[in-house]
Amino acid sequence: MATLPPASTGLLTSWPPITVPIMTFTLPGWAPAPSPPRPERWTAAEPLFPRVCPSTPAAVASTAPRPGPPPGPAGALAAWKVRWSRTDFAAILNQLRHGLFDPLRWWRLGQQTYEDWCLPLPGEGNLLVTRFLSDRFRRAGVVLYPHQLATVRRVISDLGGRALLADEVGLGKTIEAALILREYQLREGISRILILVPSSLVWQWYRELSDKFGLFPVLQRTAFDWQRPGVILASLDTAKRAEHRDILESLEWDLVIVDEAHRLKNERTLNWQLVNRLRKRYLLLLTATPVQNDLKELFNLVRLLHPGGWGTWSSFRRRFLSPDGRNPRDEQAAASLQRLLAQTMIRHRHGPETVILPPRHVHRIDVHLREDEWQLYDAVRGWVRRIYRERGYLDAHVFALLTLEREICSSPAAAALTLARITRTDPGDPQVFAALQVLLQQGFGSKLQSLVHLIRSLDRQLVVFTEYVASQAQILSILRQAGIAAFPFDGSMRPGRKEWVKRMFEQRGQVLVSTESGGEGINLQFCNTLVNYDLPWNPMRVEQRIGRLHRLGQTRPVEIYNLVTVGTVEEHIFYLLHEKIRLFENVVGELDGILGTRSGLEQFQRSLFTILVDWPGARQGRQALDVLAQSLLAAARERRREPGRELTPGLLGKKAIPP
């Protein structure tokens, strides 16, 4: 029997000595001999695995040959020999010389060697993950930006593992969350991790974790998967179902990560209630839009992170907010709210302090309609004006006719489907039906011809965005007839199918034809050319399209081609977005506060529809669009000057980490 001195790591230093039997084995061919006596006796206060000298802290923790003595006088050399002889490494060498093997010593030496190996390198801010995954990051081409490392440090050291990561789109919130996950695994050995994401992003998260971080999460498919160890990756919509919710709430989780956390902004929804009831130690909420309508949405997100930390909604509103509950009461309240929010939320913006993305180059491709296409367009435009003047206001029927007018600029197939729906309640104009019949017989519109010519002239990978599924189908048919490798991408696809199409396009395809719903959440940084086959009403949707390519990881300038039918409503929309708002060159920041809300978007669209329906002519129409753009930008600037808006620098500002 022998006395095992206590470990010198952390809380174990105060434990009393433990007496355990030491098992020794005699190696064949060796004659057992007693171990030589130690020069000194172990003391409980002395480290179990002392280091030789400060300049080589892990020298004795490795299995390398015995290091040489440190420089110094004879007394220092003698002291070094004494300390070396008391190490487990020296004792194991002595035992091996005498044919003995002590498994307990070997295990203890391996454990201490691992702990010493995990010591962070100088200048890395005490992060283990940067050293542990350095080789994998190099092979995968991962570049960690300073704002991402700063986020990990702050979440670990200051926020206690509970944080709202609210970086702008394209700044790498997924990378930050995965770094925090791996850091906690290395520091604390957490083993129960739950990641809840929208169904369309499940495979994207799986690829990010496996390719860049060496994690292969369990893809939840059955109710039994929730209890499997390791990282569980699942859809939030699946998790909130009754048959899964009860299981999730009964389990304990070390870390829970929720992507697109703005889906938790309402405390009455099943999404919010599920995350609130989970038994979790750490929680990360990821969203680029923590506030969309009012500050109660932000309050509900913080309640998930720190229940009761901000009091009740009534007390929070009386303390900080104006009577309408939408803005901070005054500048003092905004400053107090900012300090309070800094204890929970981290937000970075595009700019010199974070990431400067490559430039955007905008190109306009004019499309001139044929005579038969002009006949259909003029017939629909006359129909829209007649209905509007008869009713005297904009209603759902007028909006549908305006949509039909835009679809003619896209494809005859899209216009035919909308016209079929309209005629259920309105017999319509006979001229429209006759002109559409002639156009459908042609089957190949002017815009499709321009698209095929553009793709052949560019001769590189590109993404084509359209608003209409019928236009997507017609584009795919024409491109395949022309011998161009094209793949569809839309919201009706299952997540696995989307991931397969993305990989096929990346490896073998030339063109990806996507709808608005299909493009949500997909990352296409490997491609740098985008074609807007048609333009949506909402400028924010245009920015979302561009953001699929123009995001973190893009190393080349992004080329944006806009197909514009001359003399139509599409040209008017392009004039407003490009020449007046200058949307394509700049990342949307000013308009986010206005068009990101339902009321602001509805007001903008109603003003735009009124101008387009009652188009007074080229000169006066352009003047009306100029006034609309000026009022929109002025409202955005005024919103930024309001205390606490922002999503202003006072509330969700550029600096995520206070000085």
Side-chain angles (χ1 to χ4, degrees):
M1 304 294 286
T3 300
L4 177 67
S8 61
T9 57
L11 300 177
L12 300 182
T13 54
S14 61
W15 285 18
I18 304 173
T19 302
V20 296
I22 295 181
M23 297 182 296
T24 59
F25 302 91
T26 302
L27 300 178
W30 289 79
S35 300
R38 293 173 180 258
E40 291 185 16
R41 186 179 180 84
W42 276 88
T43 58
E46 195 169 26
L48 174 65
F49 199 68
R51 296 188 171 93
V52 178
C53 64
S55 61
T56 57
V60 298
S62 66
T63 57
R66 175 176 172 176
L77 178 59
W80 175 84
K81 289 182 177 180
V82 171
R83 294 184 63 82
W84 163 256
S85 64
R86 290 204 302 257
T87 63
D88 274 358
F89 186 51
I92 288 174
L93 289 180
N94 288 332
Q95 287 184 348
L96 289 178
R97 292 190 187 101
H98 294 82
L100 301 178
F101 177 76
D102 184 353
L104 180 60
R105 274 191 193 277
W106 276 99
W107 177 86
R108 196 166 53 189
L109 177 65
Q111 181 71 16
Q112 188 64 45
T113 303
Y114 173 77
E115 293 177 1
D116 282 356
W117 179 86
C118 285
L119 288 175
L121 294 176
E124 292 187 331
N126 297 331
L127 293 182
L128 307 183
V129 66
T130 53
R131 179 181 180 183
F132 186 78
L133 296 178
S134 58
D135 290 340
R136 178 174 289 274
F137 287 160
R138 186 180 64 255
R139 292 193 301 267
V142 178
V143 177
L144 299 180
Y145 291 87
H147 75 275
Q148 294 175 330
L149 297 177
T151 297
V152 178
R153 294 188 192 101
R154 186 160 182 244
V155 171
I156 298 291
S157 60
D158 298 338
L159 304 185
R162 288 176 167 259
L164 174 61
L165 306 184
D167 291 353
E168 284 187 344
V169 175
L171 289 181
K173 292 185 293 296
T174 304
I175 298 294
E176 294 172 352
L179 286 171
I180 295 170
L181 188 161
R182 291 295 269 157
E183 184 71 19
Y184 272 125
Q185 284 184 329
L186 293 172
R187 287 172 179 254
E188 304 179 10
I190 62 173
S191 59
R192 296 285 297 160
I193 299 105
L194 175 64
I195 303 177
L196 300 176
V197 303
S199 58
S200 60
L201 301 183
V202 170
W203 278 103
Q204 179 176 310
W205 267 84
Y206 184 87
R207 284 194 64 184
E208 290 281 324
L209 294 176
S210 59
D211 296 348
K212 299 178 181 179
F213 294 90
L215 291 172
F216 297 91
V218 176
L219 293 176
Q220 187 277 327
R221 301 184 187 278
T222 66
F224 300 101
D225 292 333
W226 299 119
Q227 302 185 26
R228 296 176 65 178
V231 181
I232 310 295
L233 179 58
S235 165
L236 181 60
D237 294 331
T238 301
K240 70 182 180 182
R241 296 177 186 171
E243 62 269 24
H244 300 293
R245 187 171 62 248
D246 295 339
I247 300 176
L248 285 172
E249 294 174 1
S250 65
L251 300 173
E252 293 186 358
W253 302 96
D254 295 323
L255 172 63
V256 175
I257 301 174
V258 183
D259 195 10
E260 302 295 337
H262 50 266
R263 301 188 178 198
L264 311 177
K265 62 184 180 181
N266 189 343
E267 76 278 11
R268 296 187 180 91
T269 61
L270 290 177
N271 292 339
W272 190 93
Q273 294 173 8
L274 168 66
V275 177
N276 185 50
R277 292 173 181 171
L278 291 177
R279 301 161 62 186
K280 50 198 176 292
R281 182 180 178 187
Y282 303 125
L283 175 63
L284 299 177
L285 303 180
L286 282 60
T287 177
T289 54
V291 178
Q292 292 180 321
N293 295 302
D294 54 50
L295 290 176
K296 188 175 182 181
E297 299 171 354
L298 182 61
F299 177 83
N300 289 331
L301 293 178
V302 174
R303 280 181 63 191
L304 294 174
L305 296 167
H306 302 287
W310 284 10
T312 64
W313 168 245
S314 299
S315 62
F316 176 81
R317 183 171 179 174
R318 288 193 303 269
R319 182 182 176 187
F320 294 106
L321 304 184
S322 58
D324 60 2
R326 298 177 62 88
N327 304 322
R329 186 176 61 251
D330 49 35
E331 293 184 1
Q332 183 178 1
S336 300
L337 185 56
Q338 179 197 11
R339 290 191 295 269
L340 191 62
L341 195 57
Q343 303 172 10
T344 304
M345 188 182 73
I346 300 176
R347 182 172 175 85
H348 295 96
R349 291 179 165 279
H350 291 276
E353 298 178 357
T354 54
V355 177
I356 299 179
L357 296 176
R360 302 176 178 183
H361 299 156
V362 185
H363 311 274
R364 169 173 169 168
I365 308 298
D366 288 340
V367 177
H368 298 276
L369 298 180
R370 300 192 305 260
E371 183 63 29
D372 53 352
E373 292 173 321
W374 270 118
Q375 290 179 0
L376 176 60
Y377 184 81
D378 289 339
V380 171
R381 183 168 54 181
W383 188 11
V384 173
R385 289 189 175 186
R386 178 172 56 83
I387 297 297
Y388 176 69
R389 289 169 182 171
E390 287 177 359
R391 305 194 178 189
Y393 60 91
L394 294 173
D395 60 2
H397 188 54
V398 178
F399 289 157
L401 292 176
L402 272 173
T403 302
L404 177 62
E405 187 176 345
R406 293 176 55 228
E407 287 172 338
I408 295 172
C409 302
S410 179
S411 70
L417 292 177
T418 301
L419 186 60
R421 291 192 297 267
I422 292 176
T423 52
R424 296 173 185 172
T425 57
D426 188 339
D429 190 339
Q431 295 182 0
V432 173
F433 292 98
L436 181 60
Q437 187 67 27
V438 173
L439 192 57
L440 288 174
Q441 293 176 357
Q442 297 289 336
F444 200 87
S446 301
K447 182 173 281 191
L448 277 173
Q449 293 178 353
S450 300
L451 177 63
V452 173
H453 177 73
L454 175 64
I455 293 174
R456 285 177 171 169
S457 63
L458 294 176
D459 193 23
R460 60 173 179 261
Q461 269 192 335
L462 54 87
V463 181
V464 178
F465 272 103
T466 179
E467 278 202 282
Y468 312 109
V469 176
S471 296
Q472 180 195 38
Q474 195 169 23
I475 293 171
L476 289 168
S477 176
I478 297 300
L479 293 182
R480 288 166 181 170
Q481 292 177 19
I484 299 173
F487 294 92
F489 204 88
D490 58 70
S492 64
M493 294 180 174
R494 297 178 63 87
R497 176 73 175 176
K498 285 185 176 182
E499 184 64 22
W500 180 84
V501 169
K502 178 183 173 182
R503 283 182 176 267
M504 291 296 294
F505 169 62
E506 182 179 2
Q507 298 172 2
R508 302 181 182 180
Q510 183 180 358
V511 180
L512 182 71
V513 185
S514 176
T515 60
E516 297 288 349
S517 58
E520 293 180 356
I522 182 176
N523 296 335
L524 302 170
Q525 300 97 319
F526 56 85
C527 180
N528 74 320
T529 305
L530 179 145
V531 177
N532 285 312
Y533 186 77
D534 43 47
L535 292 172
W537 296 117
N538 187 355
M540 302 303 297
R541 288 185 175 270
V542 180
E543 175 59 29
Q544 290 171 1
R545 291 180 177 183
I546 301 173
R548 300 304 97 207
L549 284 69
H550 196 239
R551 60 190 300 113
L552 193 66
Q554 180 61 261
T555 59
R556 298 171 292 174
V558 175
E559 307 291 338
I560 305 169
Y561 293 87
N562 300 281
L563 299 180
V564 180
T565 51
V566 179
T568 66
V569 62
E570 196 170 63
E571 185 180 24
H572 308 328
I573 296 174
F574 181 80
Y575 171 80
L576 175 66
L577 297 182
H578 178 46
E579 298 188 26
K580 304 310 300 181
I581 301 179
R582 306 198 66 80
L583 175 70
F584 297 98
E585 288 89 346
N586 303 299
V587 176
V588 173
E590 296 182 350
L591 301 182
D592 193 9
I594 300 297
L595 301 180
T597 64
R598 181 179 301 177
S599 59
L601 178 60
E602 290 178 352
Q603 183 178 356
F604 168 77
Q605 289 184 337
R606 185 169 293 274
S607 301
L608 178 60
F609 291 170
T610 302
I611 296 173
L612 297 178
V613 170
D614 197 18
W615 186 254
R619 182 177 179 180
Q620 295 179 349
R622 292 288 179 91
Q623 291 177 352
L625 291 176
D626 293 347
V627 173
L628 176 60
Q630 292 172 5
S631 63
L632 181 63
L633 296 177
R637 289 191 294 269
E638 183 64 26
R639 184 183 179 91
R640 293 203 319 274
R641 284 195 293 266
E642 293 178 6
R645 284 299 236 182
E646 173 46 277
L647 306 157
T648 68
L651 191 55
L652 304 182
K654 294 184 179 180
K655 289 188 177 180
I657 303 176

